[in-house]
Amino acid sequence: MPLPVVSPTATAGQPAAAGGEFPDARAPVDPATLRHRELLGGEFWRRIPAFRDVSEETFLDHKWQMKNTITRVERLLEALHGLVSEAFIQDAAEGFRLAPMAVRVSPYLLSLIDWNDPVADPIRRQFLPLASTRLPDHPELTLDSLNEQGDAPVPGLTHRYPDKALFLALDTCPVYCRFCTRSYAVGPDQETVEKVSLKATVDRWQRVFAYVRSRPELEDIVVSGGDAWNLRADQIRLIGETLLDIPHVRRMRFATKGPAVMPQKLLTDYEWFDAFVGIVERGRKLGKDVMLHTHFNHPREITEITRAALQRLHERGVMIRNQSVLQRGVNDDVETMLLLNRRLAWINVHPYYVYVHDLVRGTEELRTTLQTALDLEKHVRGAQAGFNTPTFVVDAPGGGGKRDAHSYEYYDRTTGISVFTAPSVKPGRFFFYFDPIDLLPPEGRARWADPAERPRMIAEAERAARESAGRR
Ligand SMILES: *Cc1c(COP(=O)(O)O)cnc(C)c1O
Ligand code: SF4
């Protein structure tokens, strides 16, 4: 019998796992793999000068969070004085001037950012643009890159897949993310973009409901926006009940970033909570599934407050899934991605998807390569239960829908062009994803610099994809 391997970490303070009772046991667990259980607790918000005197009761009040959410760039910059350097404030001011998204940052989010190193901070990166790190947009980028409007039979309903549809019920959110795919509609108009209007009006919803009723194949409705967090309790009930009353609708999800940016709502907005749980329970009685889909991108977005808030839903039997966006400098390394997924599982949220970042204006520095997704997936798969293992997907530009990142027909790592097909969505068509140019090898960067080369690279990739698809 071989001697048990004793790792150096098995000394002080460790239970005698190796040797002792189980002589053949594997090496004791590396404490680093248990870090996901350490959630930020205490009154962490008091680190921010503006919240120094805010009590726990106040900080947990969703009304206080909403009232103190910062919606003007000037106010945000004001709040940063004394926290960060003047140079950083100037940089952010210029970053906002160039950005297609409006600013909206909750006190909770502001308190999660590490203001000692705001440039590198993964939460800052998602919500506060800086001019100095901005990269030019990819030449193949368009404003509605997923072509959601092209697949919309009525305003605010995208019917792309056979049995499911995406209902954009409203165009506001509790916060605004820089990288929002729907910056074509979400949030107020900006200096640099005029938006499509998707207001929360019953008239528009009635047309959506009528369409859903008219399509017996629709079993699965995603209620998104904008963000369901911003629907009033009566609106949640109206949408939920109307859709549940349609016999062929069997599954529904409410999509919201709320748990990641304003979990307080689940603790103190009793009306909203009851309306939502009421719909879930009514659905269950009717033999239908109603779930919550949320959007955490970084393990630090999960705190003791999050755990307590989501536990309220868990207690009532509400299933929660998470969809992350893969972002450079946020979650594009193995350690962070593993920590995120473990922490989600720890609080009973199932990691469902990791999206390769869409082509969105003004966010090129947040995108990374398809190769990065492929590499991360290899480490993620096998680390946790299969149902806690997210699928890495590319939402194919042009409306091909979500494709497994590994399922490309062709991927040229020099030009950064990958080609996908979607036989059940849009048969016979090819869809292209483009890695950010600054991460390509010099040869690829040089080709993109020459506008005459661009159509050639795309044609080459399509030809190669056609050959590869034709061989099977
Ligand atoms: C993502 C999405 C859905 C839901 O897709 P799932 O893979 O079931 O999560 C439905 N419709 C549209 C347009 C979507 O983008
Ligand atoms: S919460 Fe969702 S819809 Fe709203 S800005 Fe962020 S990514 Fe876009």
Side-chain angles (χ1 to χ4, degrees):
M1 206 189 303
L3 284 172
V5 180
V6 181
S7 89
T9 54
T11 50
Q14 290 285 322
E21 201 183 343
F22 306 109
D24 288 331
R26 50 196 286 156
V29 65
D30 175 355
T33 63
L34 304 180
R35 259 181 59 211
H36 61 279
R37 302 176 186 172
E38 295 159 18
L39 303 182
L40 179 63
E43 302 190 336
F44 55 85
W45 55 90
R46 291 190 192 252
R47 294 179 298 195
I48 309 288
F51 309 141
R52 191 158 290 150
D53 300 322
V54 174
S55 70
E56 178 167 37
E57 193 191 346
T58 303
F59 197 76
L60 292 186
D61 179 359
H62 76 282
K63 286 209 192 91
W64 184 86
Q65 287 287 335
M66 295 222 279
K67 215 170 64 216
N68 290 279
T69 286
I70 299 179
T71 56
R72 284 186 28 238
V73 176
E74 305 78 58
R75 274 231 32 231
L76 177 67
L77 301 177
E78 250 171 63
L80 298 185
H81 281 288
L83 260 180
V84 291
S85 69
E86 271 314 301
F88 179 88
I89 292 178
Q90 283 310 314
D91 200 356
E94 185 58 13
F96 274 116
R97 207 185 55 75
L98 299 169
M101 274 311 264
V103 60
R104 207 175 168 91
V105 180
S106 60
Y108 176 71
L109 260 189
L110 216 55
S111 324
L112 292 181
I113 294 172
D114 177 4
W115 292 106
N116 292 320
D117 189 8
V119 175
D121 187 87
I123 299 171
R124 191 287 301 163
R125 282 177 76 81
Q126 299 177 62
F127 296 95
L128 274 65
L130 296 180
S132 61
T133 54
R134 199 177 157 94
L135 292 170
D137 287 338
H138 196 284
E140 294 300 313
L141 177 147
T142 56
L143 189 51
D144 173 11
S145 91
L146 301 184
N147 193 32
E148 288 185 338
Q149 293 176 84
D151 282 335
V154 290
L157 188 92
T158 301
H159 185 185
R160 167 171 304 150
Y161 302 96
D163 79 336
K164 57 190 175 185
L166 169 68
F167 171 23
L168 304 179
L170 74 171
D171 58 10
T172 65
C173 304
V175 297
Y176 290 130
C177 317
R178 294 173 55 195
F179 53 90
C180 183
T181 295
R182 276 180 213 126
S183 51
Y184 70 84
V186 166
D189 285 343
Q190 293 303 298
E191 211 175 295
T192 50
V193 198
E194 223 172 283
K195 309 205 168 182
V196 177
S197 171
L198 293 176
K199 297 259 172 299
T201 63
V202 175
D203 279 355
R204 186 173 67 82
W205 293 353
Q206 293 301 356
R207 291 188 61 201
V208 167
F209 301 147
Y211 178 82
V212 175
R213 267 187 219 105
S214 78
R215 302 299 305 210
E217 73 272 38
L218 283 178
E219 295 188 357
D220 190 333
I221 308 293
V222 182
V223 182
S224 185
D227 195 299
W229 226 235
N230 279 21
L231 290 169
R232 294 190 312 265
D234 62 297
Q235 294 175 320
I236 293 271
R237 265 194 300 271
L238 174 75
I239 292 173
E241 286 172 7
T242 308
L243 290 173
L244 284 177
D245 284 342
I246 300 173
H248 53 260
V249 172
R250 305 286 299 164
R251 298 173 289 282
M252 254 163 70
R253 352 170 183 167
F254 283 85
T256 173
K257 198 164 170 68
V261 297
M262 208 183 279
Q264 288 85 351
K265 193 174 177 83
L266 292 171
L267 297 169
T268 56
D269 189 348
Y270 304 110
E271 233 195 305
W272 191 95
F273 183 86
D274 288 345
F276 177 67
V277 173
I279 293 300
V280 175
E281 287 171 349
R282 184 154 180 235
R284 199 172 295 130
K285 284 208 184 78
L286 293 167
K288 302 182 178 196
D289 255 343
V290 182
M291 308 206 172
L292 195 79
H293 275 217
T294 188
H295 176 184
F296 291 93
N297 289 332
H298 192 274
R300 260 195 14 231
E301 294 160 5
I302 302 171
T303 64
E304 262 308 320
I305 300 177
T306 328
R307 193 199 51 73
L310 293 184
Q311 174 57 15
R312 293 209 61 210
L313 288 175
H314 184 69
E315 270 166 31
R316 301 291 293 271
V318 181
M319 165 99 178
I320 308 166
R321 299 196 184 105
N322 186 67
Q323 311 187 177
S324 298
V325 180
L326 175 59
Q327 293 175 325
R328 203 194 308 185
V330 175
N331 54 16
D332 63 339
D333 61 287
V334 172
E335 193 188 337
T336 306
M337 188 53 81
L338 281 174
L339 187 58
L340 172 64
N341 291 319
R342 287 186 173 128
R343 196 162 275 175
L344 287 167
W346 184 247
I347 60 166
N348 295 310
V349 177
H350 290 196
Y352 173 46
Y353 280 144
V354 175
Y355 288 87
V356 171
H357 202 301
D358 294 329
L359 283 93
V360 176
R361 273 175 70 170
T363 61
E364 201 63 357
E365 95 229 39
L366 284 176
R367 292 203 306 127
T368 183
T369 60
L370 176 66
Q371 188 61 48
T372 306
L374 303 176
D375 294 342
L376 284 173
E377 200 273 348
K378 246 173 233 171
H379 285 89
V380 165
R381 188 160 300 278
Q384 288 174 273
F387 54 78
N388 279 326
T389 303
T391 306
F392 284 68
V393 291
V394 174
D395 211 337
K402 300 173 189 69
R403 313 307 304 161
D404 183 331
H406 286 91
S407 72
Y408 56 80
E409 303 293 344
Y410 177 74
Y411 181 19
D412 181 335
R413 283 137 178 106
T414 302
T415 63
I417 302 177
S418 45
V419 188
F420 294 83
T421 53
S424 293
V425 183
K426 295 205 168 75
R429 276 186 53 184
F430 290 92
F431 299 92
F432 301 84
Y433 182 77
F434 302 93
D435 289 346
I437 292 172
D438 71 298
L439 295 181
L440 300 178
E443 190 195 336
R445 289 207 298 271
R447 289 191 74 185
W448 279 104
D450 174 2
E453 273 294 295
R454 294 172 191 169
R456 245 176 259 151
M457 287 185 278
I458 294 174
E460 272 167 29
E462 176 162 347
R463 211 175 310 119
R466 229 174 254 290
E467 272 171 29
S468 146
R471 272 199 298 274
R472 291 192 305 269

